[in-house]
Every structure is written in C-alpha cells, then in structure tokens.
Amino acid sequence: MRLCRYGKAGYEKPGVIDGEGRLRDLSKVVDNIGPNEISPRGLKMLTRLKPESLPPVNGNPRFGAPYVGIGKFIAIGLNYSDHAKEAGLPIPSEPIVFMKATTCINGPSDDVIQPKNSTKLDWEVELGVVIGTQAKYVSEADALNHVAGYCIVNDVSERAFQMATTQWDKGKGFDTAGPIGPWLVTSDEIRDPQTLDLWLDVNGKRMQTGNTSTMVFSVAKIVSHVSQYMTLLPGDVIATGTPPGVGLGIKPSPVFLKPGDVMTLGIQGLGEQRQRVVAYSA
C-alpha cells in the first residue's frame, strides 16, 4: 500500500495511491496518516480497503511528508562503501548514527532553502525506514518485523556546516533539509529492502546511481543496532545512507548546489521527488 498526504502545507489530507498510480482520498476513512495508522492494527484495517472504491483526487496536488508523528529523524552516515571512499573516509566498523532535526522535514517537491551563510550545499538520496512498532533491544533477525514501510529521503547537507566540528547535526538539520516522500510504501510491497535501485539528478544530469545491496550495514542491522541505544517508536524514521555521487566527492573539484538548481531523485518502487533550490530570504 502506498500511503500519502496531499494538499496545502499544514492542511494535508490522507491519501492512497491505487494500482493504476492514481491518488485517492482517504479522509472519510481516517483523519490523518500517523503512528496509529501505520501500526500493525492500523495497517491491517487499511489493507482491507479497495483503493479503487475511494474518491479520486483530480489535478496535481502538492504532496506533503507522507505521514505525521515523526518523533525522531535518525540518519546513518557513510553506509555505502563507495561513498565512504569518495569522501576520503574509512568504511565504518559500526553504523555512524546522527540526528536530523524534525523541523527540517519537508514535502518531497517543496523548495529547499539554502540557509544563510551556506557555501557547500549538497544532495544525498537515501532509503528511509519507517518504524511501525516499538523496537527496543531487538535482534537483527526480528528487526524488520518492527518496520511499517519505506520512503525516499533526500538528506540535504551543508558540508561547511557539517565539517566545522566532529558533530554533523548542524549541517544536516537546517530548515527544509529533510524532504520525505512522496509515499510511505508498506513493507508487504517491499519484500527485500536490500535490492532497491536509487538515483539522483541535478539539473537533468545523473549524479548518483546505486543499489541498496551495497550498503555496509543492512536495514535489519541498522534497526537492531539503533534499538540497542534508543527506543524506536512508531513514526520514527531512519535514513540509511547514500550511494556515491554526492557533490563533495566530485573530482578534481567538488560541485555544490546553488539557487535555481533542481534535484530529481527516486528509489525503485517508492516514487520520485523533485526540489528546486532557492536562496534564503528574511
């Protein structure tokens, strides 16, 4: 099932994508898509629906983040060996965990605002893992049973901010640095999260191409690992790292985003995003 939220920012309605790729309105069934709806009980109820029986949504409405109630926005660094190499950093021996501020969450086609004093704005297409049931000290073998589904995340990064100290958060959590969506695709449709193609273009030029099979740490390993240090709650999302091709890694001279640039990105089975970079204005 492909769940989403659509409409004006702050006033989104719940929706679902039918088998023909058409948006259907869910607002007569649930008030919103949130932790209750993506719990096993909520998803069981929703999967009984026939999307084709719901009212179609005409036109091309804006998509927001596909669900509400994201308590934690967790991310994993250097989780593709080729990306670690291009960054000139060693392949990590255990997952590198950092946090993105929940205030950075953005719709999948909303503008990305270059923050004040930014000089090294960069892109990162990533597989997002959405938690559906509480996970605390879970085993790797059981980890995927706690996953409600998957989504696209663009882990937009400001490299000068990121590299100013050993802590990455300020380069990863500025406003609009976390486009999520367009859909939350339930785990029954993504049987193996380690076989998904990822890509990202800037101004129509392919910059990133990868597959989740080359992750250093699998989705199951990541969920299990993080759950050893913090309780994962329904609605928490984990961005699982990016394949090679980021602007920082371009040789001989890195390339960074500027106002007017357009990023388009996608993951197999999870849809596509598109963002235009705009300059900050007070």
PDB file of all heavy atoms in Angstrom, residues 66-96:
ATOM      1  N   PRO A  66       4.697  11.974   3.921  1.00  0.00           N
ATOM      2  CA  PRO A  66       3.605  11.017   3.797  1.00  0.00           C
ATOM      3  C   PRO A  66       2.881  10.665   5.087  1.00  0.00           C
ATOM      4  O   PRO A  66       1.819  10.041   5.040  1.00  0.00           O
ATOM      5  CB  PRO A  66       4.286   9.785   3.196  1.00  0.00           C
ATOM      6  CG  PRO A  66       5.722   9.918   3.553  1.00  0.00           C
ATOM      7  CD  PRO A  66       5.993  11.385   3.570  1.00  0.00           C
ATOM      8  N   TYR A  67       3.423  11.054   6.228  1.00  0.00           N
ATOM      9  CA  TYR A  67       2.725  10.801   7.487  1.00  0.00           C
ATOM     10  C   TYR A  67       3.203  11.804   8.535  1.00  0.00           C
ATOM     11  O   TYR A  67       4.231  12.471   8.356  1.00  0.00           O
ATOM     12  CB  TYR A  67       2.958   9.357   7.967  1.00  0.00           C
ATOM     13  CG  TYR A  67       4.380   9.057   8.389  1.00  0.00           C
ATOM     14  CD1 TYR A  67       4.752   9.032   9.728  1.00  0.00           C
ATOM     15  CD2 TYR A  67       5.370   8.795   7.445  1.00  0.00           C
ATOM     16  CE1 TYR A  67       6.051   8.763  10.107  1.00  0.00           C
ATOM     17  CE2 TYR A  67       6.664   8.519   7.821  1.00  0.00           C
ATOM     18  CZ  TYR A  67       7.001   8.507   9.162  1.00  0.00           C
ATOM     19  OH  TYR A  67       8.298   8.250   9.539  1.00  0.00           O
ATOM     20  N   VAL A  68       2.449  11.926   9.605  1.00  0.00           N
ATOM     21  CA  VAL A  68       2.795  12.822  10.705  1.00  0.00           C
ATOM     22  C   VAL A  68       3.254  11.988  11.897  1.00  0.00           C
ATOM     23  O   VAL A  68       3.159  10.765  11.899  1.00  0.00           O
ATOM     24  CB  VAL A  68       1.593  13.706  11.102  1.00  0.00           C
ATOM     25  CG1 VAL A  68       1.187  14.610   9.952  1.00  0.00           C
ATOM     26  CG2 VAL A  68       0.399  12.847  11.544  1.00  0.00           C
ATOM     27  N   GLY A  69       3.763  12.671  12.919  1.00  0.00           N
ATOM     28  CA  GLY A  69       4.151  11.973  14.138  1.00  0.00           C
ATOM     29  C   GLY A  69       5.564  11.430  14.115  1.00  0.00           C
ATOM     30  O   GLY A  69       5.852  10.413  14.761  1.00  0.00           O
ATOM     31  N   ILE A  70       6.455  12.097  13.371  1.00  0.00           N
ATOM     32  CA  ILE A  70       7.858  11.670  13.356  1.00  0.00           C
ATOM     33  C   ILE A  70       8.531  12.218  14.612  1.00  0.00           C
ATOM     34  O   ILE A  70       8.871  13.399  14.693  1.00  0.00           O
ATOM     35  CB  ILE A  70       8.577  12.161  12.084  1.00  0.00           C
ATOM     36  CG1 ILE A  70       7.886  11.604  10.842  1.00  0.00           C
ATOM     37  CG2 ILE A  70      10.050  11.756  12.112  1.00  0.00           C
ATOM     38  CD1 ILE A  70       8.444  12.112   9.527  1.00  0.00           C
ATOM     39  N   GLY A  71       8.706  11.342  15.603  1.00  0.00           N
ATOM     40  CA  GLY A  71       9.328  11.780  16.849  1.00  0.00           C
ATOM     41  C   GLY A  71      10.828  11.897  16.739  1.00  0.00           C
ATOM     42  O   GLY A  71      11.445  12.786  17.322  1.00  0.00           O
ATOM     43  N   LYS A  72      11.437  10.983  15.974  1.00  0.00           N
ATOM     44  CA  LYS A  72      12.882  11.002  15.776  1.00  0.00           C
ATOM     45  C   LYS A  72      13.186  10.834  14.296  1.00  0.00           C
ATOM     46  O   LYS A  72      12.604   9.990  13.632  1.00  0.00           O
ATOM     47  CB  LYS A  72      13.569   9.883  16.578  1.00  0.00           C
ATOM     48  CG  LYS A  72      13.488  10.065  18.088  1.00  0.00           C
ATOM     49  CD  LYS A  72      14.396   9.102  18.826  1.00  0.00           C
ATOM     50  CE  LYS A  72      13.906   7.663  18.844  1.00  0.00           C
ATOM     51  NZ  LYS A  72      12.634   7.478  19.551  1.00  0.00           N
ATOM     52  N   PHE A  73      14.111  11.660  13.810  1.00  0.00           N
ATOM     53  CA  PHE A  73      14.587  11.596  12.433  1.00  0.00           C
ATOM     54  C   PHE A  73      16.062  11.212  12.544  1.00  0.00           C
ATOM     55  O   PHE A  73      16.931  12.045  12.782  1.00  0.00           O
ATOM     56  CB  PHE A  73      14.403  12.957  11.770  1.00  0.00           C
ATOM     57  CG  PHE A  73      14.561  12.976  10.272  1.00  0.00           C
ATOM     58  CD1 PHE A  73      14.193  14.112   9.554  1.00  0.00           C
ATOM     59  CD2 PHE A  73      15.065  11.901   9.561  1.00  0.00           C
ATOM     60  CE1 PHE A  73      14.320  14.170   8.171  1.00  0.00           C
ATOM     61  CE2 PHE A  73      15.202  11.935   8.185  1.00  0.00           C
ATOM     62  CZ  PHE A  73      14.826  13.081   7.493  1.00  0.00           C
ATOM     63  N   ILE A  74      16.330   9.934  12.410  1.00  0.00           N
ATOM     64  CA  ILE A  74      17.655   9.360  12.624  1.00  0.00           C
ATOM     65  C   ILE A  74      18.310   9.134  11.262  1.00  0.00           C
ATOM     66  O   ILE A  74      17.626   8.861  10.279  1.00  0.00           O
ATOM     67  CB  ILE A  74      17.532   8.026  13.385  1.00  0.00           C
ATOM     68  CG1 ILE A  74      16.792   8.240  14.710  1.00  0.00           C
ATOM     69  CG2 ILE A  74      18.892   7.384  13.628  1.00  0.00           C
ATOM     70  CD1 ILE A  74      16.202   6.979  15.295  1.00  0.00           C
ATOM     71  N   ALA A  75      19.608   9.251  11.196  1.00  0.00           N
ATOM     72  CA  ALA A  75      20.311   9.032   9.937  1.00  0.00           C
ATOM     73  C   ALA A  75      21.596   8.251  10.184  1.00  0.00           C
ATOM     74  O   ALA A  75      22.166   8.289  11.279  1.00  0.00           O
ATOM     75  CB  ALA A  75      20.601  10.359   9.239  1.00  0.00           C
ATOM     76  N   ILE A  76      22.029   7.563   9.131  1.00  0.00           N
ATOM     77  CA  ILE A  76      23.224   6.732   9.194  1.00  0.00           C
ATOM     78  C   ILE A  76      24.242   7.269   8.184  1.00  0.00           C
ATOM     79  O   ILE A  76      23.916   7.467   7.011  1.00  0.00           O
ATOM     80  CB  ILE A  76      22.905   5.259   8.868  1.00  0.00           C
ATOM     81  CG1 ILE A  76      21.765   4.743   9.764  1.00  0.00           C
ATOM     82  CG2 ILE A  76      24.152   4.400   9.005  1.00  0.00           C
ATOM     83  CD1 ILE A  76      22.067   4.757  11.247  1.00  0.00           C
ATOM     84  N   GLY A  77      25.463   7.513   8.644  1.00  0.00           N
ATOM     85  CA  GLY A  77      26.489   8.084   7.785  1.00  0.00           C
ATOM     86  C   GLY A  77      27.399   7.036   7.172  1.00  0.00           C
ATOM     87  O   GLY A  77      27.651   5.971   7.761  1.00  0.00           O
ATOM     88  N   LEU A  78      27.884   7.327   5.973  1.00  0.00           N
ATOM     89  CA  LEU A  78      28.911   6.516   5.300  1.00  0.00           C
ATOM     90  C   LEU A  78      28.520   5.043   5.212  1.00  0.00           C
ATOM     91  O   LEU A  78      29.340   4.150   5.458  1.00  0.00           O
ATOM     92  CB  LEU A  78      30.261   6.665   6.019  1.00  0.00           C
ATOM     93  CG  LEU A  78      30.796   8.098   6.154  1.00  0.00           C
ATOM     94  CD1 LEU A  78      32.082   8.109   6.947  1.00  0.00           C
ATOM     95  CD2 LEU A  78      30.980   8.746   4.797  1.00  0.00           C
ATOM     96  N   ASN A  79      27.260   4.777   4.841  1.00  0.00           N
ATOM     97  CA  ASN A  79      26.786   3.403   4.837  1.00  0.00           C
ATOM     98  C   ASN A  79      26.880   2.715   3.477  1.00  0.00           C
ATOM     99  O   ASN A  79      26.365   1.607   3.309  1.00  0.00           O
ATOM    100  CB  ASN A  79      25.343   3.330   5.360  1.00  0.00           C
ATOM    101  CG  ASN A  79      24.944   1.914   5.718  1.00  0.00           C
ATOM    102  OD1 ASN A  79      25.768   1.129   6.191  1.00  0.00           O
ATOM    103  ND2 ASN A  79      23.694   1.570   5.461  1.00  0.00           N
ATOM    104  N   TYR A  80      27.512   3.366   2.505  1.00  0.00           N
ATOM    105  CA  TYR A  80      27.841   2.719   1.238  1.00  0.00           C
ATOM    106  C   TYR A  80      29.350   2.821   1.087  1.00  0.00           C
ATOM    107  O   TYR A  80      29.915   3.919   1.201  1.00  0.00           O
ATOM    108  CB  TYR A  80      27.143   3.401   0.061  1.00  0.00           C
ATOM    109  CG  TYR A  80      25.649   3.156  -0.013  1.00  0.00           C
ATOM    110  CD1 TYR A  80      24.778   3.737   0.902  1.00  0.00           C
ATOM    111  CD2 TYR A  80      25.097   2.347  -1.011  1.00  0.00           C
ATOM    112  CE1 TYR A  80      23.406   3.526   0.838  1.00  0.00           C
ATOM    113  CE2 TYR A  80      23.724   2.130  -1.089  1.00  0.00           C
ATOM    114  CZ  TYR A  80      22.895   2.725  -0.166  1.00  0.00           C
ATOM    115  OH  TYR A  80      21.536   2.513  -0.233  1.00  0.00           O
ATOM    116  N   SER A  81      30.005   1.719   0.823  1.00  0.00           N
ATOM    117  CA  SER A  81      31.465   1.712   0.817  1.00  0.00           C
ATOM    118  C   SER A  81      32.036   2.679  -0.210  1.00  0.00           C
ATOM    119  O   SER A  81      33.036   3.364   0.056  1.00  0.00           O
ATOM    120  CB  SER A  81      31.987   0.292   0.555  1.00  0.00           C
ATOM    121  OG  SER A  81      31.451  -0.231  -0.653  1.00  0.00           O
ATOM    122  N   ASP A  82      31.397   2.785  -1.389  1.00  0.00           N
ATOM    123  CA  ASP A  82      31.888   3.699  -2.419  1.00  0.00           C
ATOM    124  C   ASP A  82      31.752   5.156  -1.991  1.00  0.00           C
ATOM    125  O   ASP A  82      32.575   5.999  -2.367  1.00  0.00           O
ATOM    126  CB  ASP A  82      31.129   3.483  -3.734  1.00  0.00           C
ATOM    127  CG  ASP A  82      31.490   2.161  -4.389  1.00  0.00           C
ATOM    128  OD1 ASP A  82      32.486   1.554  -3.973  1.00  0.00           O
ATOM    129  OD2 ASP A  82      30.769   1.748  -5.316  1.00  0.00           O
ATOM    130  N   HIS A  83      30.696   5.458  -1.218  1.00  0.00           N
ATOM    131  CA  HIS A  83      30.522   6.832  -0.738  1.00  0.00           C
ATOM    132  C   HIS A  83      31.583   7.177   0.296  1.00  0.00           C
ATOM    133  O   HIS A  83      32.139   8.288   0.292  1.00  0.00           O
ATOM    134  CB  HIS A  83      29.122   7.012  -0.147  1.00  0.00           C
ATOM    135  CG  HIS A  83      28.905   8.341   0.504  1.00  0.00           C
ATOM    136  ND1 HIS A  83      29.150   9.536  -0.152  1.00  0.00           N
ATOM    137  CD2 HIS A  83      28.474   8.677   1.742  1.00  0.00           C
ATOM    138  CE1 HIS A  83      28.869  10.543   0.664  1.00  0.00           C
ATOM    139  NE2 HIS A  83      28.465  10.051   1.815  1.00  0.00           N
ATOM    140  N   ALA A  84      31.899   6.239   1.182  1.00  0.00           N
ATOM    141  CA  ALA A  84      32.967   6.487   2.154  1.00  0.00           C
ATOM    142  C   ALA A  84      34.287   6.755   1.442  1.00  0.00           C
ATOM    143  O   ALA A  84      35.042   7.665   1.815  1.00  0.00           O
ATOM    144  CB  ALA A  84      33.097   5.288   3.098  1.00  0.00           C
ATOM    145  N   LYS A  85      34.531   5.992   0.381  1.00  0.00           N
ATOM    146  CA  LYS A  85      35.770   6.163  -0.381  1.00  0.00           C
ATOM    147  C   LYS A  85      35.835   7.534  -1.026  1.00  0.00           C
ATOM    148  O   LYS A  85      36.874   8.204  -0.964  1.00  0.00           O
ATOM    149  CB  LYS A  85      35.879   5.068  -1.442  1.00  0.00           C
ATOM    150  CG  LYS A  85      37.161   5.117  -2.256  1.00  0.00           C
ATOM    151  CD  LYS A  85      37.218   3.978  -3.266  1.00  0.00           C
ATOM    152  CE  LYS A  85      38.501   4.044  -4.090  1.00  0.00           C
ATOM    153  NZ  LYS A  85      38.558   2.933  -5.089  1.00  0.00           N
ATOM    154  N   GLU A  86      34.722   7.982  -1.643  1.00  0.00           N
ATOM    155  CA  GLU A  86      34.747   9.284  -2.310  1.00  0.00           C
ATOM    156  C   GLU A  86      34.889  10.430  -1.306  1.00  0.00           C
ATOM    157  O   GLU A  86      35.386  11.509  -1.636  1.00  0.00           O
ATOM    158  CB  GLU A  86      33.510   9.486  -3.187  1.00  0.00           C
ATOM    159  CG  GLU A  86      32.221   9.731  -2.433  1.00  0.00           C
ATOM    160  CD  GLU A  86      31.034  10.017  -3.347  1.00  0.00           C
ATOM    161  OE1 GLU A  86      31.239  10.142  -4.563  1.00  0.00           O
ATOM    162  OE2 GLU A  86      29.906  10.109  -2.826  1.00  0.00           O
ATOM    163  N   ALA A  87      34.423  10.189  -0.072  1.00  0.00           N
ATOM    164  CA  ALA A  87      34.556  11.202   0.974  1.00  0.00           C
ATOM    165  C   ALA A  87      35.935  11.172   1.626  1.00  0.00           C
ATOM    166  O   ALA A  87      36.254  12.030   2.455  1.00  0.00           O
ATOM    167  CB  ALA A  87      33.479  10.993   2.039  1.00  0.00           C
ATOM    168  N   GLY A  88      36.756  10.181   1.240  1.00  0.00           N
ATOM    169  CA  GLY A  88      38.100  10.070   1.818  1.00  0.00           C
ATOM    170  C   GLY A  88      38.095   9.605   3.252  1.00  0.00           C
ATOM    171  O   GLY A  88      39.008   9.919   4.020  1.00  0.00           O
ATOM    172  N   LEU A  89      37.067   8.811   3.620  1.00  0.00           N
ATOM    173  CA  LEU A  89      36.919   8.361   4.997  1.00  0.00           C
ATOM    174  C   LEU A  89      36.887   6.833   5.039  1.00  0.00           C
ATOM    175  O   LEU A  89      36.458   6.184   4.086  1.00  0.00           O
ATOM    176  CB  LEU A  89      35.633   8.939   5.603  1.00  0.00           C
ATOM    177  CG  LEU A  89      35.604  10.467   5.734  1.00  0.00           C
ATOM    178  CD1 LEU A  89      34.209  10.949   6.089  1.00  0.00           C
ATOM    179  CD2 LEU A  89      36.614  10.939   6.778  1.00  0.00           C
ATOM    180  N   PRO A  90      37.327   6.239   6.141  1.00  0.00           N
ATOM    181  CA  PRO A  90      37.337   4.773   6.232  1.00  0.00           C
ATOM    182  C   PRO A  90      35.925   4.208   6.311  1.00  0.00           C
ATOM    183  O   PRO A  90      34.995   4.867   6.794  1.00  0.00           O
ATOM    184  CB  PRO A  90      38.113   4.512   7.532  1.00  0.00           C
ATOM    185  CG  PRO A  90      37.943   5.753   8.339  1.00  0.00           C
ATOM    186  CD  PRO A  90      37.894   6.884   7.349  1.00  0.00           C
ATOM    187  N   ILE A  91      35.758   2.979   5.816  1.00  0.00           N
ATOM    188  CA  ILE A  91      34.480   2.300   5.959  1.00  0.00           C
ATOM    189  C   ILE A  91      34.245   2.056   7.446  1.00  0.00           C
ATOM    190  O   ILE A  91      35.111   1.503   8.138  1.00  0.00           O
ATOM    191  CB  ILE A  91      34.487   0.974   5.178  1.00  0.00           C
ATOM    192  CG1 ILE A  91      34.623   1.251   3.681  1.00  0.00           C
ATOM    193  CG2 ILE A  91      33.206   0.180   5.455  1.00  0.00           C
ATOM    194  CD1 ILE A  91      34.823   0.013   2.845  1.00  0.00           C
ATOM    195  N   PRO A  92      33.110   2.476   7.978  1.00  0.00           N
ATOM    196  CA  PRO A  92      32.906   2.363   9.427  1.00  0.00           C
ATOM    197  C   PRO A  92      32.787   0.920   9.890  1.00  0.00           C
ATOM    198  O   PRO A  92      32.307   0.046   9.165  1.00  0.00           O
ATOM    199  CB  PRO A  92      31.587   3.122   9.650  1.00  0.00           C
ATOM    200  CG  PRO A  92      30.912   3.145   8.323  1.00  0.00           C
ATOM    201  CD  PRO A  92      31.995   3.147   7.292  1.00  0.00           C
ATOM    202  N   SER A  93      33.232   0.678  11.118  1.00  0.00           N
ATOM    203  CA  SER A  93      33.154  -0.655  11.701  1.00  0.00           C
ATOM    204  C   SER A  93      31.806  -0.914  12.350  1.00  0.00           C
ATOM    205  O   SER A  93      31.462  -2.062  12.636  1.00  0.00           O
ATOM    206  CB  SER A  93      34.268  -0.849  12.734  1.00  0.00           C
ATOM    207  OG  SER A  93      34.181   0.141  13.746  1.00  0.00           O
ATOM    208  N   GLU A  94      31.061   0.145  12.630  1.00  0.00           N
ATOM    209  CA  GLU A  94      29.683   0.032  13.092  1.00  0.00           C
ATOM    210  C   GLU A  94      28.924   1.245  12.574  1.00  0.00           C
ATOM    211  O   GLU A  94      29.531   2.232  12.155  1.00  0.00           O
ATOM    212  CB  GLU A  94      29.593  -0.059  14.612  1.00  0.00           C
ATOM    213  CG  GLU A  94      29.961   1.206  15.364  1.00  0.00           C
ATOM    214  CD  GLU A  94      29.610   1.088  16.852  1.00  0.00           C
ATOM    215  OE1 GLU A  94      30.162   0.210  17.536  1.00  0.00           O
ATOM    216  OE2 GLU A  94      28.771   1.894  17.309  1.00  0.00           O
ATOM    217  N   PRO A  95      27.594   1.172  12.529  1.00  0.00           N
ATOM    218  CA  PRO A  95      26.842   2.289  11.953  1.00  0.00           C
ATOM    219  C   PRO A  95      27.139   3.624  12.639  1.00  0.00           C
ATOM    220  O   PRO A  95      27.223   3.702  13.867  1.00  0.00           O
ATOM    221  CB  PRO A  95      25.387   1.870  12.172  1.00  0.00           C
ATOM    222  CG  PRO A  95      25.425   0.374  12.210  1.00  0.00           C
ATOM    223  CD  PRO A  95      26.719   0.039  12.899  1.00  0.00           C
ATOM    224  N   ILE A  96      27.334   4.653  11.811  1.00  0.00           N
ATOM    225  CA  ILE A  96      27.505   6.019  12.311  1.00  0.00           C
ATOM    226  C   ILE A  96      26.111   6.638  12.421  1.00  0.00           C
ATOM    227  O   ILE A  96      25.420   6.812  11.418  1.00  0.00           O
ATOM    228  CB  ILE A  96      28.380   6.848  11.370  1.00  0.00           C
ATOM    229  CG1 ILE A  96      29.790   6.256  11.310  1.00  0.00           C
ATOM    230  CG2 ILE A  96      28.425   8.307  11.804  1.00  0.00           C
ATOM    231  CD1 ILE A  96      30.681   6.904  10.268  1.00  0.00           C
TER     232      ILE A  96
END
